Amino acid sequence: MTTYAFAPAPVVSVPVLGRPERFPVHRIYCVGRNYEDHAKEMGFTGREPPFFFLKPADAIVVAEAGQTATIPYPSLTSNLHHEIELVVAIGTGGRDIRAADAARHIYGYAVGLDMTRRDLQTDMKKQGRPWCIGKAYDKSAPIGPITLAAQAGDIHNAPIWLQVNGSDRQRSNVAKLIWNVAETIEHLSHAWELQPGDLIYTGTPEGVGAVVRGDTLNGGVEGLTPITVKVA
Ligand code: MN
């Protein structure tokens, strides 16, 4: 029997709507600048090949249906940004997956927030250094319950939105993704072998901005369970 020097970290998991079993998280992949108007607001134009960064699995904060999850205002930043995103949950792994075959690898979808220490990310970008400190910090990946793919409706033409304290901040449509879900899976699976349990944060539309302590974020993608997160 294997023994460990200390108790291994618990499996990070996300609830699945209407199912007793939870979705165990393997990795969190994120797509950068995947809506044109967000690319523009970040100072970029045009369709560039998709690019990816990762967050650690234990950056997940589950926002249960109908409840308010809490995230602490993180250290080192004075410019914490919200990015509302459609999240794809991978149920069947693979490498070199063709876009035409991507659907059968998808377990379900959820609403997620790619919380970002924007000042640190911007500083790292300027210096040509990795974004980790801006993107992959503790509790940087709130997520709602996963809806099974078959029950998610027309997710590829779904409105996506985020409100802060009841006011609109982000409002767009998943149809405006530069690289759609299938194309993203194709590109990602050339770079890494996808595994069951992988989550893909597919990118955020325009309207990103700062939140402060005490703010309540409410976001959704039509057809999925919305999430509510308070910054403490
Ligand atoms: Mn993002």
Side-chain angles (χ1 to χ4, degrees):
M1 190 183 110
T2 306
T3 61
Y4 298 98
F6 46 84
V11 173
V12 174
S13 65
V14 180
V16 181
L17 210 61
R19 310 280 299 187
E21 66 270 24
R22 296 174 69 92
F23 180 91
V25 179
H26 177 245
R27 289 181 185 164
I28 305 172
Y29 295 101
C30 302
V31 187
R33 298 195 289 262
N34 203 15
Y35 287 82
E36 187 179 357
D37 288 342
H38 172 61
K40 284 179 181 166
E41 75 181 351
M42 299 306 287
F44 296 84
T45 54
R47 196 187 206 221
E48 54 190 339
F51 68 92
F52 307 101
F53 58 91
L54 288 94
K55 294 182 188 243
D58 67 356
I60 287 287
V61 175
V62 172
E64 300 283 352
Q67 294 180 29
T68 300
T70 299
I71 53 171
Y73 195 92
S75 64
L76 301 181
T77 186
S78 55
N79 195 19
L80 175 65
H81 271 207
H82 55 76
E83 296 191 356
I84 190 72
E85 309 203 357
L86 169 68
V87 181
V88 179
I90 297 295
T92 302
R95 56 164 53 117
D96 298 329
I97 298 165
R98 291 181 307 148
D101 299 327
R104 70 177 190 85
H105 294 266
I106 299 172
Y107 177 86
Y109 300 94
V111 177
L113 279 165
D114 167 17
M115 298 303 294
T116 302
R117 295 193 284 204
R118 191 72 75 199
D119 42 1
L120 300 185
Q121 183 204 21
T122 302
D123 201 41
M124 291 297 113
K125 272 188 194 171
K126 278 185 194 149
Q127 299 185 62
R129 291 179 176 173
W131 291 6
C132 307
I133 200 167
K135 285 288 196 181
Y137 70 90
D138 296 343
K139 301 187 189 301
S140 59
I143 191 170
I146 292 171
T147 297
L148 295 174
Q151 297 166 10
D154 188 10
I155 203 71
H156 305 291
N157 290 291
I160 178 171
W161 72 89
L162 179 82
Q163 296 184 323
V164 177
N165 304 327
S167 297
D168 267 21
R169 288 282 188 91
Q170 297 185 266
R171 192 166 286 276
S172 186
N173 193 294
V174 173
K176 293 187 176 176
L177 278 171
I178 295 173
W179 298 96
N180 68 29
V181 168
E183 292 167 333
T184 295
I185 288 172
E186 177 171 316
H187 278 90
L188 193 55
S189 69
H190 289 320
W192 290 272
E193 180 175 357
L194 293 181
Q195 302 285 347
D198 287 338
L199 295 173
I200 307 169
Y201 282 59
T202 56
T204 197
E206 68 277 14
V208 300
V211 289
V212 297
R213 283 187 185 82
D215 281 348
T216 298
L217 296 75
N218 184 261
V221 175
E222 195 169 285
L224 306 180
T225 306
I227 60 172
T228 305
V229 174
K230 187 178 172 74
V231 183

